[in-house]
Amino acid sequence: MELKRFIKLLNLLLFVFSLCMNPTSGVGGAAQVRCIERERQALLKFKQGLITSDSETLSTWGTEEDKKECCEWRGVFCSDRIGRVNQLELGELQMRGSVSPALLDLRHLNILDLSDNDFGRSRIPKFIGSFKNLRQLTLRNSNFTGEVPYELGNLTNLHTLELDGNVGLTIKNLDWISRLSSLSYLDLSSVNLNETKWLHEITKLPSLKSLFLSNCQLPNTLPAVDFFANSSLPSLDVLVLSINGLTSNFTFQWLFNFTKSAISIDLSNNRLDGPIPDAFGELVFLQDLRLQENKFHGGIPKFTMNFIHLTSINISNNNLNQPLVELLQNLSEVTSLENLDLSYNQLNGALPDITRFSSLKELRLNNNQLKAFPPQTLGQPSSLVHLYLSNNQITGSLPNLSVFWNLLGLYLGSNSLEGTITNDHFANLTQLKDLDLSFNKLSLNLSSDWVPPFQMEIVHLSHCTMGPHFPKWIQTQISLLELDISFASISDTIPKWLWNMPRMITFNISHNQIGGRLPDLSSRTALRRSIDLSYNNFSGPIPSFVFHTVEVRLSKNMLSGSISHICRISGSSYIKILDLSDNYLSGELPECWMNINDLRVLNLGNNRFHGRIPFTLGALDQLQTLHLRNNSLTGDLPSTLKNCTKLRMIDLGENDLTGNIPTWIGTHLTSLTIVSLRFNKYHGNIPPTICHLTNIQILDLSRNNISGKIPPCLNNFTSLAQRNGSTESTEVMVPDDQIFPCAFNLHWYFDDILVQWKGQESRDGKIGLVKGIDLSSNNLVGTIPREFSDLRGLLFLNLSRNHLTGNIISDIGEMEMLEWLDLSNNQLSGNIPNSLASLNFLSVLDLSYNNLKGRIPLGTQLQSFEISAYEGNSKLCGLPLPKCPGDSPGPSQTNGSKDNIEKDDGFITREFYFCMTVGFITGFWVVVGTLFLKHSWRHSYFNFWNKIGDWIYVRTTLYAKRFKRKFLH
Ligand SMILES: *[C@@H]1O[C@H](CO)[C@@H](O)[C@H](O)[C@H]1NC(C)=O
Ligand SMILES: *[C@@H]1O[C@H](CO)[C@@H](O)[C@H](O)[C@H]1NC(C)=O
Ligand SMILES: *[C@@H]1O[C@H](CO)[C@@H](O)[C@H](O)[C@H]1NC(C)=O
């Protein structure tokens, strides 16, 4: 023993001595290069095939003398002794290019990781199958596409295979994977496996522990053979099968055979229905269960006290419909639960005492049908950090919240809570950062000198009455990012300090009676996300600072003066929504719009602007909505507007615009869904090019001096020809993370347009449901083109007050969705076509003052209209008009004439134009952290994206990942 120790010591001394004598050799010395020349050359060739995003990325790789040691190059790792390259880890370097076959000279490669680079939609090279020693192959998010080469089946030492996140990868035959008998981690997410016998092949991988097959279009077919008999079935720890359209029938026949020891199961976003199988209650190693976005109903299985690791359950977005009290009973023994998400179900009944779940940190019960708030006596102090209860039907007053002393976010918006909230409610909530009490019937009675025990960031108190004075305690919240105190019954002047809140990026004080002038703070021009001061009593001019904001809403105030400065200042180019409607603004519109050319929504309607429409509006090539309605604008439309090809809605009604309707509207602005030029002085013909507007939903040219014939090509309006109400979405979104570089937020714009609609006023209409054409009160001549009958989705058609002749088109009954038809005050002749009687939805009809003759066709509908609908056609007869000559006398005739007298009044009121406001959403999103900071938004956000195409989804998850990486780790 002693001797051994001595020899060791001696060796050590000799070694140290040799280092002293010859400092350039030995461990760490630069002269003795371990790197094998042949492998170095291979790496250099590989580098030649790549373009790096900046010169730094692979700067350590080179031919220079001081870079000889390739074992020290970035991402290259060698075996200790011999210096063979055994790992190449080049993930996330943002390189582009191709994978050179020269790499094959790295014969001892164990790990090859090329993830998060861009290989330009090329195929995965077949030669990768020749790296016999490869244990890990990672090609995620690398822009590979096409068929995955079956040569990968030669990599029999592979433990880990990751091909996820490549768009367009497919595997038609998965046979080869069963040869990878050492495989324990397999991620083929986003690879199309639709044509494979995936389940059959997977069960042949006895070492498999983690399986990720998200978004693989997995078919719901069981293998033909009895694969459950196989004794070496994998026993999975992690199973992710989300986004696949899997059904319950299929899935639960085999799932529990592989998952007895599973710690994480994700079956979210499939078509699973029925009750959640009890067998989940036997997977006692579970930590994380995700079943969200399926169609499960009922409650949840019993989870016993043996579940000591279960920390997270997400079953949101299903049809769970148990009383919540019963459902939570099945979880009551689980003491480890930290996150429980049951939002977006139909859970009902009262909310039990949730403080029983002593480790619960995040509880989401929003968007259910819960009725009562927990009893006033809540149990022990709670560890809850986030509590989501918004969008339920919770009544009663807010209980004492003092047990929730860890609470960081409390979300109670959109319930039916009542009563008064005082300082005491918040006494213990020292951590509170996010508070949402909006859309209840609450009133806030906080003493004016109250200093809250917390510093909040997001405060949503819309519809909480707290007036008449502006709440002073807000001034103490210097960390505030978002403030919404709209509809709060505040009648006060706006305090100066509000403009100086250092971090505030969003504030909404709309729908109050807040007055005063907007201060000039042009020296302090912090960029904000959104300012909404609409529906208040602000007066005076519009200061320039507001234009350092992405979204500005100042409508329905008493603002006056010119807006000539709005596009002249620098820094205003961030603005995307500008709504100055319903004020007393005047003067000419400025000619500087090219300076704010990212504008998406411009609403200057209902003001006192005069002069011509500026040429530079044409520079707004991102513009989607343009309202100039109800001003005194003159002249014709500048032809530069044809550059605004993204326009979906253009409302120029109620001005004094003149000239012809430009032909380029149809040829250039083909995205238009709504066009209103009503109540102007347009003359000339309707240009046939207007028929190119295939997306049009509302075309209103009424009350002009338009003459000539109606072009017969109107059946090109494909959107109007579709019967179903839903149309191409009018929601628009603009990914933009440059302004607030964190994550995103959605900005919505609800657009109004005035159209005449059935003589009734409604403010709830939604575009997408309303489709129609109004050409009334012009000088149109000729016949009604028979092509109108192709417009089967049309809900209203108004051609009244023209000089139209000929017959009513005989197949008018084809327009089966028609609810309102006005052909009055023309010179139409002939009989009323029988098919008119088949319009089942028709509820308002006016054929009066034409030259129609003969019998009104029989049908329940046509007889139920009032006489005024037909009068002024002297040769028309039959119910509800007097009988036709030769009919036998009937009892109803006297009734009819009595009606007639009453209806004359009705006719007079029809002379008036009633209007309807149609909701129209131009939503778009810009930037900002809230989405990921503020969980309650996340949900609706992802729901929203579900409707959009796949490419967006990909993009979203990408950002989500990036964000998480940045901020959560
Ligand atoms: C993938 O490659 C194609 C072709 O080079 C390119 O157009 C596309 O932008 C790339 N996609 C990504 C996400 O890098
Ligand atoms: C894969 O292995 C087979 C047989 O072992 C061999 O014939 C084939 O050439 C190999 N392919 C590659 C790409 O190495
Ligand atoms: C798989 O392919 C079949 C037939 O090609 C198709 O009908 C089915 O919709 C596809 N399944 C999925 C989930 O895409």
Side-chain angles (χ1 to χ4, degrees):
M1 281 305 232
E2 289 296 294
L3 185 66
K4 264 189 187 167
R5 230 197 250 169
F6 176 73
I7 292 173
K8 258 190 189 169
L9 195 64
L10 194 67
N11 268 335
L12 189 67
L13 281 173
L14 279 173
F15 180 68
V16 172
F17 182 71
S18 71
L19 278 182
C20 298
M21 297 302 291
N22 186 4
T24 55
S25 74
V27 185
Q32 193 172 357
V33 170
R34 286 187 298 151
C35 175
I36 295 164
E37 181 59 19
R38 179 186 155 98
E39 298 197 341
R40 202 166 79 97
Q41 291 307 328
L43 288 169
L44 287 172
K45 276 192 200 135
F46 170 68
K47 182 187 172 181
Q48 278 168 16
L50 299 171
I51 304 164
T52 51
S53 55
D54 64 78
S55 55
E56 276 300 292
T57 311
L58 289 186
S59 59
T60 51
W61 295 38
T63 49
E64 297 87 335
E65 196 56 32
D66 61 330
K67 293 180 180 171
K68 274 222 134 95
E69 178 53 282
C70 71
C71 291
E72 287 174 4
W73 291 358
R74 180 174 186 179
V76 179
F77 300 89
C78 299
S79 61
D80 282 348
R81 285 174 306 124
I82 311 166
R84 290 173 182 146
V85 175
N86 59 7
Q87 301 182 15
L88 201 51
E89 300 197 25
L90 300 172
E92 298 189 45
L93 296 187
Q94 292 169 5
M95 301 185 294
R96 287 186 295 123
S98 57
V99 188
S100 161
L103 270 193
L104 276 179
D105 277 336
L106 308 177
R107 289 200 200 122
H108 301 277
L109 214 54
N110 279 314
I111 296 180
L112 178 59
D113 177 357
L114 301 176
S115 57
D116 294 292
N117 290 298
D118 177 3
F119 294 102
R121 299 190 65 71
S122 60
R123 301 289 165 98
I124 294 177
K126 289 181 180 165
F127 65 76
I128 289 185
S130 307
F131 289 109
K132 289 274 185 317
N133 297 309
L134 214 55
R135 291 160 56 86
Q136 176 185 339
L137 177 60
T138 299
L139 302 176
R140 56 165 51 180
N141 297 326
S142 306
N143 207 1
F144 284 116
T145 192
E147 181 76 17
V148 175
Y150 65 83
E151 283 81 359
L152 296 190
N154 279 13
L155 301 172
T156 48
N157 289 313
L158 218 52
H159 282 222
T160 297
L161 176 59
E162 298 172 279
L163 302 180
D164 52 303
N166 292 289
V167 178
L169 272 188
T170 55
I171 296 178
K172 293 220 164 69
N173 188 340
L174 202 53
D175 283 356
W176 55 265
I177 209 144
S178 56
R179 289 160 56 203
L180 309 181
S181 54
S182 311
L183 205 60
S184 79
Y185 186 104
L186 177 60
D187 192 343
L188 298 179
S189 296
S190 306
V191 180
N192 184 343
L193 301 179
N194 190 328
E195 290 174 37
T196 60
K197 296 179 189 154
W198 65 279
L199 189 52
H200 188 77
E201 305 300 340
I202 297 302
T203 54
K204 294 180 190 160
L205 298 171
S207 314
L208 198 62
K209 287 286 166 204
S210 302
L211 176 62
F212 298 83
L213 297 178
S214 177
N215 192 13
C216 292
Q217 304 176 35
L218 298 179
N220 279 294
T221 40
L222 285 170
V225 295
D226 183 10
F227 61 103
F228 300 124
N230 182 351
S231 60
S232 61
L233 288 176
S235 172
L236 295 173
D237 289 343
V238 178
L239 175 63
V240 176
L241 297 175
S242 53
I243 323 179
N244 276 306
L246 298 177
T247 61
S248 285
N249 274 348
F250 165 73
T251 308
F252 297 125
Q253 285 189 53
W254 52 269
L255 183 85
F256 301 105
N257 289 18
F258 311 120
T259 52
K260 288 194 181 67
S261 59
I263 54 175
S264 176
I265 295 183
D266 183 352
L267 300 175
S268 62
N269 214 318
N270 279 294
R271 286 189 280 134
L272 304 171
D273 56 5
I276 299 175
D278 286 337
F280 280 109
E282 282 151 33
L283 312 179
V284 292
F285 297 103
L286 264 188
Q287 294 179 16
D288 184 4
L289 177 62
R290 299 178 193 210
L291 301 175
Q292 70 267 28
E293 298 192 58
N294 279 292
K295 292 173 183 152
F296 288 118
H297 62 75
I300 59 174
K302 173 91 180 157
F303 292 90
T304 61
M305 59 192 299
N306 296 332
F307 282 81
I308 52 171
H309 303 294
L310 188 57
T311 51
S312 179
I313 299 181
N314 187 345
I315 318 181
S316 63
N317 262 282
N318 276 278
N319 301 324
L320 300 182
N321 52 358
Q322 246 187 1
L324 180 66
V325 178
E326 280 171 40
L327 184 145
L328 289 185
Q329 208 63 48
N330 282 348
L331 280 173
S332 58
E333 291 173 20
V334 183
T335 52
S336 51
L337 202 60
E338 292 183 7
N339 299 304
L340 177 61
D341 188 347
L342 299 171
S343 59
Y344 293 89
N345 279 289
Q346 288 130 43
L347 299 171
N348 47 57
L351 189 73
D353 179 2
I354 46 189
T355 61
R356 275 195 332 218
F357 295 89
S358 53
S359 51
L360 209 54
K361 294 205 162 55
E362 185 160 310
L363 176 62
R364 291 167 190 261
L365 296 169
N366 53 292
N367 296 76
N368 277 287
Q369 293 156 15
L370 301 172
K371 296 256 157 38
F373 209 82
Q376 293 289 336
T377 49
L378 288 165
Q380 65 253 44
S382 156
S383 54
L384 264 184
V385 177
H386 288 281
L387 176 58
Y388 295 83
L389 289 169
S390 46
N391 287 292
N392 278 287
Q393 296 151 19
I394 302 173
T395 53
S397 57
L398 201 65
N400 189 335
L401 299 169
S402 56
V403 291
F404 297 111
W405 53 285
N406 281 317
L407 215 53
L408 215 138
L410 175 63
Y411 310 92
L412 287 167
S414 300
N415 279 290
S416 303
L417 292 166
E418 298 168 322
T420 305
I421 294 182
T422 64
N423 311 0
D424 296 341
H425 279 95
F426 300 108
N428 269 6
L429 307 182
T430 55
Q431 312 288 315
L432 199 63
K433 281 196 159 38
D434 297 0
L435 176 66
D436 180 6
L437 298 175
S438 53
F439 300 97
N440 282 288
K441 296 170 204 154
L442 292 166
S443 62
L444 258 58
N445 188 2
L446 303 166
S447 53
S448 63
D449 54 352
W450 181 50
V451 180
F454 44 70
Q455 282 293 337
M456 288 202 277
E457 294 184 348
I458 294 173
V459 175
H460 288 185
L461 298 174
S462 182
H463 289 83
C464 294
T465 55
M466 60 185 88
H469 297 300
F470 204 93
K472 236 183 133 197
W473 61 270
I474 289 173
Q475 192 177 1
T476 66
Q477 302 295 298
I478 53 169
S479 303
L480 214 53
L481 294 168
E482 272 183 38
L483 174 68
D484 183 351
I485 47 171
S486 57
F487 296 93
S489 309
I490 301 172
S491 341
D492 201 350
T493 51
I494 191 163
K496 260 231 158 83
W497 50 257
L498 189 68
W499 305 104
N500 297 332
M501 300 293 282
R503 296 180 65 197
M504 187 127 80
I505 51 174
T506 293
F507 68 97
N508 182 351
I509 57 172
S510 68
H511 297 266
N512 284 293
Q513 281 139 43
I514 300 172
R517 292 173 154 243
L518 301 180
D520 183 21
L521 298 168
S522 40
S523 58
R524 265 164 274 158
T525 49
L527 183 61
R528 290 176 204 276
R529 184 173 9 130
S530 160
I531 295 180
D532 190 346
L533 309 179
S534 56
Y535 290 82
N536 276 299
N537 298 332
F538 289 105
S539 56
I542 295 177
S544 51
F545 76 92
V546 293
F547 304 108
H548 292 261
T549 303
V550 179
E551 177 182 342
V552 177
R553 296 170 195 248
L554 300 176
S555 65
K556 275 270 183 208
N557 278 291
M558 298 179 292
L559 299 165
S560 56
S562 135
I563 60 166
S564 62
H565 57 302
I566 69 166
C567 44
R568 294 206 192 282
I569 44 176
S570 65
S572 49
S573 56
Y574 299 106
I575 198 161
K576 290 176 194 292
I577 297 180
L578 179 57
D579 185 351
L580 304 178
S581 60
D582 290 284
N583 278 293
Y584 305 130
L585 300 167
S586 57
E588 295 198 13
L589 298 178
E591 272 293 6
C592 52
W593 297 93
M594 60 284 181
N595 295 334
I596 54 175
N597 59 4
D598 214 17
L599 207 59
R600 315 294 159 111
V601 173
L602 178 60
N603 190 345
L604 302 175
N606 287 326
N607 277 292
R608 295 170 178 171
F609 295 115
H610 63 84
R612 301 178 68 93
I613 296 177
F615 280 96
T616 50
L617 272 187
L620 303 178
D621 55 3
Q622 301 297 317
L623 199 65
Q624 297 173 18
T625 292
L626 176 62
H627 285 274
L628 299 173
R629 169 165 54 92
N630 195 14
N631 281 289
S632 305
L633 299 169
T634 51
D636 45 15
L637 277 183
S639 62
T640 51
L641 275 186
K642 69 171 109 166
N643 299 329
C644 306
T645 52
K646 301 214 168 127
L647 270 176
R648 289 163 162 245
M649 159 135 177
I650 186 163
D651 183 0
L652 306 176
E654 295 165 72
N655 279 292
D656 296 316
L657 300 171
T658 52
N660 290 318
I661 295 173
T663 53
W664 49 259
I665 285 194
T667 52
H668 286 70
L669 307 184
T670 49
S671 302
L672 280 171
T673 53
I674 296 167
V675 176
S676 174
L677 302 179
R678 66 189 288 260
F679 233 133
N680 276 292
K681 293 176 177 152
Y682 283 105
H683 56 77
N685 297 345
I686 299 175
T689 53
I690 207 146
C691 300
H692 297 314
L693 300 178
T694 52
N695 296 315
I696 200 95
Q697 289 177 34
I698 291 180
L699 176 63
D700 188 347
L701 306 178
S702 63
R703 299 224 160 184
N704 279 287
N705 300 320
I706 300 168
S707 53
K709 295 184 171 182
I710 300 174
C713 55
L714 296 182
N715 54 347
N716 282 356
F717 292 154
T718 42
S719 172
L720 292 180
Q722 281 154 13
R723 262 189 59 217
N724 56 350
S726 73
T727 53
E728 193 218 342
S729 168
T730 42
E731 300 150 347
V732 188
M733 57 309 298
V734 181
D736 188 348
D737 53 356
Q738 279 155 22
I739 304 177
F740 294 98
C742 230
F744 316 104
N745 187 21
L746 288 170
H747 288 230
W748 294 94
Y749 190 78
F750 291 87
D751 236 332
D752 285 347
I753 185 174
L754 286 168
V755 291
Q756 192 189 9
W757 172 246
K758 282 192 192 178
Q760 283 173 343
E761 192 170 341
S762 160
R763 290 200 162 259
D764 300 324
K766 281 207 180 87
I767 276 192
L769 301 176
V770 177
K771 298 173 173 180
I773 295 179
D774 190 345
L775 306 177
S776 63
S777 301
N778 279 295
N779 298 319
L780 297 168
V781 297
T783 57
I784 301 175
R786 42 180 312 121
E787 286 77 7
F788 266 115
S789 64
D790 291 338
L791 303 181
R792 286 169 201 196
L794 216 58
L795 297 191
F796 71 85
L797 176 61
N798 188 350
L799 303 176
S800 66
R801 283 156 231 277
N802 279 292
H803 309 296
L804 300 172
T805 51
N807 296 341
I808 298 177
I809 50 176
S810 60
D811 37 12
I812 192 158
E814 305 273 305
M815 302 161 78
E816 37 190 314
M817 305 305 286
L818 212 56
E819 290 182 34
W820 175 38
L821 176 65
D822 191 348
L823 303 175
S824 65
N825 291 283
N826 279 292
Q827 285 127 44
L828 300 169
S829 54
N831 294 329
I832 298 177
N834 281 327
S835 74
L836 192 65
S838 63
L839 292 176
N840 288 326
F841 296 119
L842 198 63
S843 60
V844 179
L845 173 72
D846 195 347
L847 302 176
S848 62
Y849 298 95
N850 279 292
N851 300 324
L852 299 169
K853 64 174 194 213
R855 183 188 299 279
I856 297 174
L858 276 176
T860 45
Q861 218 82 359
L862 296 188
Q863 272 61 49
S864 68
F865 293 115
E866 287 146 10
I867 285 174
S868 55
Y870 302 104
E871 72 190 343
N873 294 285
S874 54
K875 294 179 190 150
L876 215 49
C877 61
L879 280 175
L881 294 182
K883 284 188 304 179
C884 296
D887 284 357
S888 58
S892 64
Q893 196 185 341
T894 43
N895 275 351
S897 47
K898 200 169 154 204
D899 267 2
N900 200 354
I901 296 159
E902 282 172 10
K903 289 316 154 200
D904 271 328
D905 278 341
F907 179 75
I908 291 166
T909 54
R910 271 204 326 281
E911 287 287 292
F912 294 88
Y913 251 71
F914 285 102
C915 297
M916 174 198 178
T917 312
V918 186
F920 163 61
I921 305 166
T922 310
F924 69 83
W925 54 318
V926 233
V927 284
V928 155
T930 29
L931 183 70
F932 292 99
L933 300 172
K934 190 164 173 280
H935 305 248
S936 62
W937 288 17
R938 224 189 269 164
H939 193 92
S940 54
Y941 171 84
F942 280 110
N943 256 1
F944 168 78
W945 286 108
N946 279 343
K947 293 188 275 179
I948 320 292
D950 275 346
W951 67 274
I952 300 272
Y953 183 78
V954 168
R955 202 175 162 136
T956 314
T957 45
L958 217 117
Y959 275 102
K961 265 192 194 163
R962 202 178 292 165
F963 178 81
K964 273 192 207 144
R965 212 174 284 150
K966 250 192 199 156
F967 295 91
L968 304 184
H969 296 306

